[in-house]
Amino acid sequence: MTMKAMGIDMSILTESFFIRALLAGLGIALVAGPIGCFIVWRRMAYFGETLAHAGLLGVGFGLLFNINITLGAVVSAVLLALLLLALKRQREIAVDTLLGILSHTALALGLITVGLVTGAVTGHLDILFGDVLTVSRNDVITVWVGAALVLAVIIYLWRDLIAISVHEDLARAEGVNVPWVELAFMLTMAAMTAFAMKIVGLLLITALTVIPAAAARRVSSTPEAMALWSSLFAGIAVIAGLIMSALWGTIAGPSVVLSASLIFVLTLATRQRS
Amino acid sequence: MFELIKPLITTHKLGLTIGNRKLLDDVSMTVREHEIVTIIGPNGAGKSTLVKVMLGLVPQTSGTIQRRENLRVGYVPQRFPVASNVPLSVRRLLTLTIKSADNEIMQALSETGIEHLVNARVAELSGGELQRALLARALLRQPELLVLDEPVQAVDFNGELKLYELISTIRKRRGCGILMVSHDLHMVMAESDRVICLNGHVCCEGRPAAVQKDPEFLKLFGPSAAKMIAAYTHHHDHDHESHGH
């Protein structure tokens, strides 16, 4: 049975808005791969979530003060990353509790701000869940420039990042400047969150980094292979999710994430490489 | 006589207080070339903390540390997550922060007896093999000071004996100073030149034979521990002679 016979019009897949969505999504997938690996290696999934929620707060302030919302998201995510870096040094409250508080406070405050400024949060669901099918040519350019910058930083720090992912104290004892590398990585995460906001949405950005990396872990035996597989899986998830969205009208962000989950389930059938 | 040998690292009245807790109190100690100094003490005595302060991983709140200029240190940390999320081969583990030629890598591995594991996955190593890989990693840096925090953990008794023998051989061959943390009193007494008994502060220190008679040592570990060590040390010496030259 052909697609046409099923009542599905494939011509949508060659429309320019769809091509733009694919290009933007693939740009995000490219950086989501290596960043996701470090999130998995360093057990920072919750931290990524917190950054994303801070991004929403930034969007709220961006709308409130009439500045670029991507810029607002970057600034607030960066500020939150710095705050966390400072708070990690105290020992009164456990770090994950702290993340839980900051993450959801930022989310709540962000939702309220966006709601107050625009009259209704529901008008901005795209920020939460992504609206990749409406990206403009400029959005695509922004994503690729951002992706190139983030990738450049990650490649520059690659050896040090791997060393501190394996054992932070050991890396530090052997001369790696851990606070600086950690800061630089948090900043790239914050930047990626803001760039990916429109594509997969703030609520699901962590999923697009963590799930492909978790799948890649199962089939890789070197850090580099894992980063490449992770980008590849994220890319496949983007393509599959967008096609699903275009053909059946499902929301784009969740469709991409669901595709990534499906890839992960498939990798479970393979033997875990170590 | 000891004073003639150059110190590698010396701490002077080192203190670390976090909140109201005094973790380290006035710790003064020295490690010189060619000697094995072992820190012993009960759980929570600050052994690992002291090592971390000496390595510069944790800043002290009082006192000073003097290192020989450009001191090369090889470090084997206490906790190393075997099931690390990062996929690594042994070769890669050794060269995480250092670029080494292949023959140097193989030499370090053969020194710790695991040449054949160069391409093995780190996650698949046994406890003893992992400790040997970490030791090889430290040796690759040509250390003047080797810092070993609980080097025999997760190793069975037989492997433990062999590891201590290996550490002793490394000292003889390379002449580096070795600072070791251990809670295994038997081995410590057999292989160390000096023992530092730590419980936040230095309770007592000296040659193993002297330390185990020290009232402070007896207070910390109890007289039965001292008896066990004495029995073991004797047995160990005897064993050595029977296989001797």
Side-chain angles (χ1 to χ4, degrees), chain A residues 167 174 217 221 224 274, chain B residues 79 85 92 97 121 137:
Chain A
H167 200 289
E174 291 169 0
R217 178 67 186 88
S221 52
E224 289 73 24
S274 52
Chain B
R79 260 181 277 277
N85 282 329
R92 186 67 184 269
T97 60
R121 318 303 313 160
R137 201 178 176 283

Side-chain angles (χ1 to χ4, degrees), chain B residues 29-51:
Chain B
M29 60 169 288
T30 294
V31 183
R32 296 185 178 82
E33 282 175 5
H34 213 284
E35 70 171 343
I36 299 185
V37 177
T38 306
I39 306 171
I40 58 172
N43 281 340
K47 303 184 293 282
S48 286
T49 308
L50 174 57
V51 163

Side-chain angles (χ1 to χ4, degrees), chain B residues 77-142:
Chain B
Q78 181 185 20
R79 260 181 277 277
F80 191 91
V82 192
S84 158
N85 282 329
V86 188
L88 284 180
S89 67
V90 168
R91 179 196 305 274
R92 186 67 184 269
L93 174 71
L94 260 61
T95 52
L96 278 178
T97 60
I98 193 173
K99 285 188 176 127
S100 300
D102 226 35
N103 62 329
E104 292 174 304
I105 296 170
M106 293 316 289
Q107 201 201 327
L109 286 173
S110 77
E111 205 168 335
T112 61
I114 53 163
E115 233 172 327
H116 58 292
L117 293 175
V118 61
N119 291 319
R121 318 303 313 160
V122 171
E124 286 165 6
L125 299 181
S126 72
E129 287 166 345
L130 179 66
Q131 290 300 328
R132 282 166 187 268
L134 291 173
L135 202 52
R137 201 178 176 283
L139 292 178
L140 194 56
R141 315 183 74 82
Q142 310 298 341

Side-chain angles (χ1 to χ4, degrees), chain A residues 41-266:
Chain A
W41 292 336
R42 309 209 64 208
R43 295 164 214 273
M44 290 170 80
Y46 208 179
F47 175 77
E49 205 102 290
T50 309
L51 279 190
H53 291 174
L56 181 70
L57 184 58
V59 169
F61 283 131
L63 292 171
L64 191 62
F65 299 117
N66 209 12
I67 53 171
N68 183 302
I69 57 167
T70 306
L71 185 69
V74 173
V75 170
S76 63
V78 165
L79 287 179
L80 192 96
L82 293 177
L83 181 67
L84 268 170
L85 217 50
L87 287 174
K88 255 176 83 178
R89 300 189 195 291
Q90 58 81 37
R91 296 180 183 214
E92 301 268 318
I93 306 169
V95 174
D96 66 330
T97 308
L98 205 61
L99 282 172
I101 296 168
L102 287 177
S103 165
H104 297 110
T105 306
L107 181 62
L109 201 56
L111 286 171
I112 288 175
T113 314
V114 173
L116 283 181
V117 176
T118 63
V121 190
T122 46
H124 288 271
L125 279 182
D126 56 329
I127 293 163
L128 295 179
F129 298 111
D131 194 7
V132 67
L133 298 180
T134 65
V135 295
S136 67
R137 198 161 163 268
N138 273 343
D139 290 335
V140 176
I141 294 171
T142 310
V143 162
W144 276 91
V145 169
L149 283 174
V150 167
L151 264 189
V153 173
I154 288 181
I155 290 170
Y156 178 69
L157 295 174
W158 187 254
R159 272 176 72 87
D160 286 349
L161 274 169
I162 290 186
I164 70 174
S165 301
V166 172
H167 200 289
E168 201 173 302
D169 273 349
L170 201 51
R172 196 189 295 250
E174 291 169 0
V176 176
N177 189 340
V178 174
W180 152 242
V181 175
E182 203 163 41
L183 176 68
F185 179 64
M186 282 184 177
L187 296 186
T188 59
M189 264 177 85
M192 194 200 104
T193 301
F195 293 132
M197 183 169 71
K198 185 148 192 211
I199 317 300
V200 280
L202 286 172
L203 289 184
L204 295 169
I205 177 66
T206 314
L208 189 62
T209 55
V210 171
I211 299 174
R217 178 67 186 88
R218 300 195 58 83
V219 297
S220 316
S221 52
T222 68
E224 289 73 24
M226 181 163 155
L228 290 175
W229 274 110
S230 187
S231 285
L232 187 70
F233 286 155
I236 295 173
V238 163
I239 295 170
L242 289 184
I243 291 176
M244 183 175 150
S245 176
L247 296 185
W248 294 306
T250 56
I251 314 176
S255 308
V256 168
V257 171
L258 208 59
S259 308
S261 306
L262 205 64
I263 293 170
F264 175 74
V265 171
L266 289 177

Side-chain angles (χ1 to χ4, degrees), chain B residues 190-223:
Chain B
E191 301 289 356
S192 308
D193 299 302
R194 279 190 306 124
V195 174
I196 292 171
C197 193
L198 189 76
N199 194 12
H201 62 286
V202 176
C203 299
C204 55
E205 98 168 88
R207 292 181 169 281
V211 163
Q212 55 189 291
K213 287 187 198 110
D214 195 295
E216 287 286 330
F217 174 85
L218 296 175
K219 211 160 70 190
L220 219 50
F221 293 100

